[in-house]
Amino acid sequence: MNKKSLIAGVLIILVLLGMGATIWMLDITKEVPPVAATPVVLSNEPDLDWQQNGKNNEYVTYLLEGSLRVKAAAGTVLSDANCEADEQGISRCHNEIALSDTQKITVVNVHNMNNYACLAPGDTVNIEPYAEGWLKVTKTGDGQ
């Protein structure tokens, strides 16, 4: 192989490597749009004015995990998460609640945080059935 062919081959390889690196850099610096949170599908949603959910410390909530084994139970809120509001200002906060019988449930609290506060960790609550898959949670004491 002559010297000119070797230099041409090396130059072609360097050009290809440079083009590959440029394409790779352009690809990784593209802005990736944020992934929208997948909304929780709330079955049998009652016909309520969600803007007023929380009035008089009474919240209608969707039972996401667990079960209420009795007609009414006392509990303590353990967490408040996933409270991003939609275009109407309605949040679907997830609250884990420890019940007095050592059981835990998770509810989705559909409400406008600008109108009525979230259930907060440490809040004490009374819970009773509202409709199929839904619970009425009444805040009885402030936590934090």
Side-chain angles (χ1 to χ4, degrees):
M1 185 184 297
N2 67 22
K3 194 173 185 180
K4 286 184 180 180
S5 295
L6 183 61
I7 292 174
V10 169
L11 285 174
I12 289 172
I13 291 172
L14 289 175
V15 168
L16 290 175
L17 286 173
M19 288 174 55
T22 302
I23 291 169
W24 180 75
M25 289 300 291
L26 288 174
D27 191 50
I28 66 167
T29 58
K30 284 183 188 171
E31 277 197 38
V32 177
V35 176
T38 305
V40 174
V41 176
L42 307 179
S43 61
N44 303 319
E45 188 169 318
D47 186 24
L48 295 174
D49 179 1
W50 296 117
Q51 297 288 342
Q52 295 303 310
N53 198 28
K55 187 175 184 178
N56 299 321
N57 287 322
E58 296 177 348
Y59 298 84
V60 173
T61 65
Y62 179 74
L63 180 60
L64 186 63
E65 293 178 9
S67 63
L68 188 63
R69 298 181 193 156
V70 293
K71 291 192 184 242
T76 302
V77 177
L78 300 175
S79 65
D80 183 39
N82 303 330
C83 291
E84 297 79 24
D86 64 17
E87 56 278 353
Q88 284 85 35
I90 301 294
S91 297
R92 287 158 183 81
C93 303
H94 291 208
N95 301 110
E96 186 177 32
I97 301 173
L99 303 179
S100 54
D101 65 357
T102 69
Q103 176 187 354
K104 290 181 186 174
I105 61 172
T106 301
V107 298
V108 178
N109 185 8
V110 183
H111 69 117
N112 185 324
M113 295 186 300
N114 292 319
N115 296 341
Y116 300 102
C118 295
L119 295 170
D123 286 351
T124 54
V125 295
N126 285 330
I127 304 164
E128 59 188 84
Y130 180 80
E132 185 179 338
W134 293 81
L135 302 172
K136 178 180 172 186
V137 176
T138 303
K139 187 168 125 178
T140 57
D142 289 330
Q144 297 176 340

